[in-house]
Amino acid sequence: MPPHTSAGRESITVDHLSPDLTRALYRHMRTARDLDTEAIALQRQGVFPAYVSVRGQEAAQVASASAMDPARDFVFPTYREMAAALAYGVEMVGYMATHRALWHGGLYDVAASRFGAVNAVVGGPVPHAVGWAVGERLRGDDGVALAYFGDGASSEGDVHEAMNFAGVFGAPVVFFCQNNQWALSVPNERQVAGGSVSARAAGYGFPGVLVDGNDAGAVYEATAEAVARARRGEGPTLVEALTYRVEPHSTSDDPGRYRDEAEVRRWRERDPLTLLRAALLAAGHADEAHLAEVDARARREAERVRDGVATAPEPDGSELFTHVFRENTKELARQRRTWQEEVEL
Amino acid sequence: MTELIERAAAADTPAVELSMQQAINRALRVLLAEDPDVLVFGEDVGALGGVFRVTDGLQEEFGDKRVFDTPLAESAIMGMAVGLAMNGWRPVPELQFDGFAYPAIDQIVNQVARMNYRTRGAAPMPITLRLPSFGGIQAPEHHGESLEALFAHTPGLKVVAPSDPGDAYSLMLQAVRSDDPVVYMEPKARYWDRRPVRLREPSDPIGTSRIVRPGRHATLVAWGAMVQRCVQVAELAAEDGVDLEVLDLRWLKPLDAEGLAASVSRTRRAVVVHEAPLTAGLGAEVAALVTEHCFRDLSAPVQRVTGFDVPYPAGPLEPQYLPTIDRVLLAVQRTLEY
């Protein structure tokens, strides 16, 4: 694939992967697609104040998250990693709660999920992944951290600082850039000097890999290799998955002001789910009957999560004060009483 | 609390002569020895022992896995602390100078301070940020700043500034053992001040002020290096028969409103002294608390003696920027004559 162009291959292959794995990738991607559709509908209905679609990025997210081990690794997301969360096994009603604005970081258990809190400062969590990974090595454990970030975040100082730290410490971390080619309204050519995020890894002394982000099999292989390297103690890898944000940046966005609809149409035709479905059938990993059944299950799961998040109770006002400190202060206790007397009523 | 007091009694040592820099070093030794999860890291804290030698010998004693140098990037140092905390460690990062905390503000304010809140308690941040702070050593620009109002204004952070070696030792133990993030502001101007100190386990809860010098006619409220300046003022005033109380707030968040109110209710007058610029400084918070708690007892409005609303100036001008003994004495005179 020529780097950073929209001309991808028209088909992918998963012949080299196990049928169990490729079927699981398809199931998660299908579920994420349906849940994404439900989420956009919830926003239209006024249940979500806003939503950020992952449509078109399911292969990049599901295949990378599936290369991680939720029993010993740790994933650090930003705010557009719904499909990764789903594939990694995060409790999805709790995850989607962030989009209903029930709690900024979501309502899932970050520690038990080993999946960091939703975070809108897009470069911010990347050094967290490095710190976590350094901590893993200090203890002699073999967990690997993966940090998601985008082409926009690749401009953030924290991302560069984190990569330099990771290189210096030889930290077991995978920097996973989903290059969806648009940082809100700004395209790659006005975001990424030199034209390549993955090429920057060379400057930090570790491998950088560019992969077709709409090819689930290729993403899985590249990430699995990066994870294996890190686990062997060979340090970090930067994986850049080239994909495309086919939906607006968020439900509040108006992409007609900045990009050509023909470009979007071309990428919609390279849909990662369609590509994987065809590859599964071609590889003989699944037949139409099986896929129809998976589609139906995905539909039901997406509806379950939709109903769960739509009906989840709003947090009690007292929770304003609950988690500010582990050891509360007298002043905050006083302010909580003020809240009780003057707000709660 | 009983357990705290017993531990304090057991661990008390005879008085030894120590500088604050050495006392903090002793505290870090205790912490590294007692808790295998404590990590000390930052720029030049390893072989060099820190530019102020606060971490002197720690790497030698505890190894380069527990005490290590990082590359030069303050934001990544604090971001790394977040990740280490999420992996069960108890990080004690150093940012070399107060002015270099600004590049790390995003990590401190958006991440460290909020992670426990954002995750509803799933990712506590038992991080103690050691920050050599304040002026008084006529350092280059960005090597002398007062960031306490910024940190105290940030929900989720606790902020402490010791004023003498003994207190620096106890407060460091308390800060690092706390499961909340603490910004520990070390007054550079006091680092080399040696005095006989008893190294004590912390006995007061977090957020407790202390009366350094009891007095009757007015309360001088200060923290960090300004405490010693206020003691000097009190000694001078005593020669004129004016008996000043000096209250060391120590904790700037949580701030000891009760201790402050108790002192000022007794003396009926308060002068708050800080190095930071006047406008929106913590002196305003102190004045507001005094007004709320002691309005009927007050004989005069609260006086503020602070740095001016200008950047910390270069060497020869710094002594004119920082609150001088004369300015504090004048404020005392104003409050007594009101």
Side-chain angles (χ1 to χ4, degrees), chain B residues 97-103 131-132 142-145 147:
Chain B
F97 285 92
D98 32 31
F100 306 155
Y102 288 114
L131 192 64
H142 314 304
H143 293 65
E145 304 276 333
L147 280 68

Side-chain angles (χ1 to χ4, degrees), chain A residues 139 158 161 319 326-327, chain B residues 75-76 87 107 120 158 180:
Chain A
R139 200 179 283 115
D158 264 3
E161 291 185 15
E319 298 209 34
R326 311 286 292 187
E327 185 192 342
Chain B
S75 188
N87 205 340
Q107 287 294 339
R120 300 164 63 84
K158 293 179 178 176
D180 290 308

Side-chain angles (χ1 to χ4, degrees), chain A residues 74 76 102-112 114 116-119 121 123-139 158 161-162 164-165 168-169 315 319-331 334, chain B residues 37 39 64-66 68-84 86-89 103 106-107 110-111 113 115-125 155-158 178-181 205-206 253-254 256 258 289:
Chain A
F74 210 106
F76 292 82
L102 293 181
W103 198 259
H104 286 317
L107 291 172
Y108 56 100
D109 183 329
V110 161
R114 304 176 77 81
V118 174
N119 199 320
V121 182
V126 182
H128 304 174
V130 177
W132 189 93
V134 167
E136 196 70 357
R137 265 172 68 99
L138 287 174
R139 200 179 283 115
D158 264 3
E161 291 185 15
N164 186 52
F165 269 50
V168 166
F169 288 108
E319 298 209 34
L320 279 170
F321 304 94
T322 307
H323 300 292
V324 179
F325 294 114
R326 311 286 292 187
E327 185 192 342
N328 205 13
T329 63
K330 282 183 198 167
E331 174 57 23
R334 189 193 66 76
Chain B
D37 291 333
L39 299 175
D64 61 6
K65 286 187 160 64
R66 306 283 308 284
F68 56 89
D69 290 327
T70 66
L72 197 162
E74 289 78 9
S75 188
I77 291 169
M78 295 312 296
M80 187 171 176
V82 171
L84 285 164
M86 289 178 77
N87 205 340
W89 298 91
D106 173 60
Q107 287 294 339
N110 275 334
Q111 308 297 344
M115 192 59 83
N116 188 68
Y117 195 77
R118 182 181 299 141
T119 63
R120 300 164 63 84
M125 292 284 117
L157 294 181
K158 293 179 178 176
S178 164
D179 288 338
D180 290 308
I206 282 175
K253 189 173 188 178
D256 186 3
E258 287 171 19
L289 287 170

Side-chain angles (χ1 to χ4, degrees), chain A residues 9 14 30 79 130 242 256 259 288 310 315 339 341:
Chain A
R9 284 169 290 117
V14 292
R30 180 79 251 173
Y79 63 86
V130 177
L242 187 66
R259 71 180 182 185
E288 287 286 2
W339 165 81
E341 290 159 11

Side-chain angles (χ1 to χ4, degrees), chain B residues 15 27 62 74 90-91 95 99 149 151 162-163 179 241 261 272 285 322 329:
Chain B
F62 296 97
E74 289 78 9
R90 190 168 288 269
L95 297 181
F151 293 133
S163 67
D179 288 338
V272 57
E285 190 66 30
L322 296 173
L329 281 169

Side-chain angles (χ1 to χ4, degrees), chain A:
Chain A
M1 184 184 63
H4 304 96
T5 68
S6 58
R9 284 169 290 117
E10 296 309 309
S11 65
I12 64 168
T13 175
V14 292
D15 294 359
H16 54 300
L17 299 173
S18 83
D20 283 351
L21 171 67
T22 56
R23 284 196 294 261
L25 294 177
Y26 178 80
R27 176 163 52 86
H28 293 317
M29 285 168 60
R30 180 79 251 173
T31 309
R33 173 65 56 87
D34 287 345
L35 183 53
D36 195 74
T37 305
E38 294 292 354
I40 291 170
L42 286 175
Q43 192 277 331
R44 301 276 188 267
Q45 294 158 22
V47 179
F48 286 1
Y51 177 68
V52 286
S53 174
V54 301
R55 191 183 178 99
Q57 298 178 220
E58 295 93 341
Q61 294 191 13
V62 166
S64 55
S66 297
M68 298 287 284
D69 179 356
R72 56 177 159 171
D73 296 336
F74 210 106
V75 172
F76 292 82
T78 61
Y79 63 86
R80 198 194 296 279
E81 270 73 55
M82 180 270 274
L86 189 148
Y88 198 64
V90 175
E91 192 277 293
M92 289 308 288
V93 171
Y95 180 89
M96 295 305 279
T98 190
H99 295 302
R100 216 189 115 198
L102 293 181
W103 198 259
H104 286 317
L107 291 172
Y108 56 100
D109 183 329
V110 161
S113 313
R114 304 176 77 81
F115 192 92
V118 174
N119 199 320
V121 182
V122 288
V126 182
H128 304 174
V130 177
W132 189 93
V134 167
E136 196 70 357
R137 265 172 68 99
L138 287 174
R139 200 179 283 115
D141 291 338
D142 68 351
V144 174
L146 183 146
Y148 284 111
F149 63 102
D151 43 305
S154 77
S155 300
E156 291 275 3
D158 264 3
V159 173
H160 295 268
E161 291 185 15
M163 288 187 187
N164 186 52
F165 269 50
V168 166
F169 288 108
V173 56
V174 179
F175 298 101
F176 193 94
C177 176
Q178 294 175 75
N179 183 347
N180 69 12
Q181 309 202 36
W182 288 92
L184 215 170
S185 69
V186 175
N188 263 194
E189 60 266 26
R190 298 196 59 76
Q191 186 73 242
V192 182
S196 166
V197 176
S198 52
R200 292 173 178 174
Y204 300 114
F206 51 82
V209 183
L210 178 65
V211 64
D212 179 353
N214 284 19
D215 180 340
V219 170
Y220 180 84
E221 268 207 305
T223 315
E225 170 53 24
V227 171
R229 272 194 80 242
R231 219 179 299 286
R232 288 196 302 267
E234 294 169 25
T237 304
L238 167 56
V239 179
E240 178 184 8
L242 187 66
T243 179
Y244 193 86
R245 194 197 78 215
V246 296
E247 290 289 320
H249 163 75
S250 76
T251 47
S252 313
D253 184 23
D254 178 9
R257 297 173 72 95
Y258 56 82
R259 71 180 182 185
D260 180 7
E261 189 52 35
E263 176 185 287
V264 181
R265 269 199 307 278
R266 281 199 302 280
W267 277 94
R268 279 188 186 275
E269 285 164 12
R270 279 205 83 239
D271 183 83
L273 201 52
T274 310
L275 290 173
L276 180 60
R277 189 183 178 99
L280 277 177
L281 293 167
H285 289 182
D287 56 20
E288 287 286 2
H290 173 82
L291 293 178
E293 192 188 314
V294 173
D295 289 352
R297 275 177 56 197
R299 177 87 245 122
R300 287 195 298 275
E301 173 62 6
E303 287 167 359
R304 182 192 70 80
V305 175
R306 174 200 66 195
D307 294 345
V309 70
T311 57
E314 291 187 4
D316 185 77
S318 65
E319 298 209 34
L320 279 170
F321 304 94
T322 307
H323 300 292
V324 179
F325 294 114
R326 311 286 292 187
E327 185 192 342
N328 205 13
T329 63
K330 282 183 198 167
E331 174 57 23
L332 206 55
R334 189 193 66 76
Q335 292 180 24
R336 190 182 188 283
R337 287 193 298 278
T338 302
W339 165 81
Q340 275 177 322
E341 290 159 11
E342 300 177 7
V343 181
E344 187 185 25
L345 301 175

Side-chain angles (χ1 to χ4, degrees), chain B residues 154 229 245 315:
Chain B
T154 301
R229 183 145 303 182
E245 181 147 304

